[in-house]
Amino acid sequence: MRRYSPLCQESCHPLLIQSLGSYVKCCSNRPNYPTRPFSSKEEGCQWVSSFVDWYNHQHRDSGIKFVTPHQLHSGEALEICRQRSRVYELARIANPKRWSTSIRCWKQSDLVCINEPLATQQTSLHAALAREAYNAFKR
């Protein structure tokens, strides 16, 4: 009988692994992540389907201000974050000693990516190399 691994990223194309990085990290950190290989392809598909549903509708991602991907894509996230900002500001006013700095920024980004666009990655790489060269020169 053939057994299916819960997540066999070694067999995927490197670019696919990179684009699915946040899914893989979140997936393997789930409490119900399989501890044994799936006994059938259907069992694996069922688990992945339930994970994707959870990820899109229940998982509050820190990278998108603790809203679900569904809330972000449906437009609900803006109002959720506005309400959170009001609650935080009222809490800060009510008890200023608890706050050493300003409240958390709840503004939603205009652009959300799983991975940075290639141009941004290259710019970041060039900046890192320039900093490294400058620091080496200073020594």
Side-chain angles (χ1 to χ4, degrees):
M1 174 196 301
R2 183 167 181 187
R3 301 189 60 87
Y4 295 86
S5 171
L7 193 58
C8 186
Q9 63 190 82
E10 295 83 17
S11 64
C12 295
H13 188 277
L15 291 176
L16 178 61
I17 293 170
Q18 181 183 4
S19 68
L20 296 175
S22 64
Y23 261 138
V24 170
K25 182 178 177 185
C26 186
C27 176
S28 60
N29 289 331
R30 290 272 298 144
N32 70 342
Y33 186 72
T35 57
R36 59 167 183 75
F38 296 121
S39 58
S40 68
K41 182 178 176 183
E42 291 74 26
E43 182 187 0
C45 289
Q46 183 180 11
W47 187 88
V48 169
S49 178
S50 68
F51 168 76
V52 169
D53 183 64
W54 169 85
Y55 186 90
N56 288 325
H57 298 282
Q58 295 176 26
H59 172 65
R60 286 170 174 75
D61 194 311
S62 62
I64 53 175
K65 309 292 183 187
F66 299 99
V67 296
T68 67
H70 175 74
Q71 290 169 328
L72 180 68
H73 294 296
S74 69
E76 297 172 50
L78 291 174
E79 186 53 36
I80 291 169
C81 288
R82 278 191 207 114
Q83 180 63 27
R84 285 182 185 162
S85 185
R86 284 192 291 263
V87 168
Y88 269 60
E89 192 56 49
L90 290 173
R92 184 172 172 256
I93 292 168
N95 197 349
K97 290 181 181 179
R98 287 188 62 199
W99 303 84
S100 59
T101 60
S102 60
I103 66 168
R104 178 190 295 258
C105 176
W106 288 106
K107 184 180 183 298
Q108 282 289 329
S109 300
D110 295 330
L111 176 66
V112 178
C113 299
I114 291 176
N115 297 309
E116 295 178 57
L118 187 57
T120 307
Q121 288 177 355
Q122 289 174 342
T123 303
S124 298
L125 177 62
H126 290 132
L129 290 173
R131 276 193 306 274
E132 190 176 310
Y134 176 74
N135 290 333
F137 179 74
K138 280 186 6 183
R139 292 184 205 150

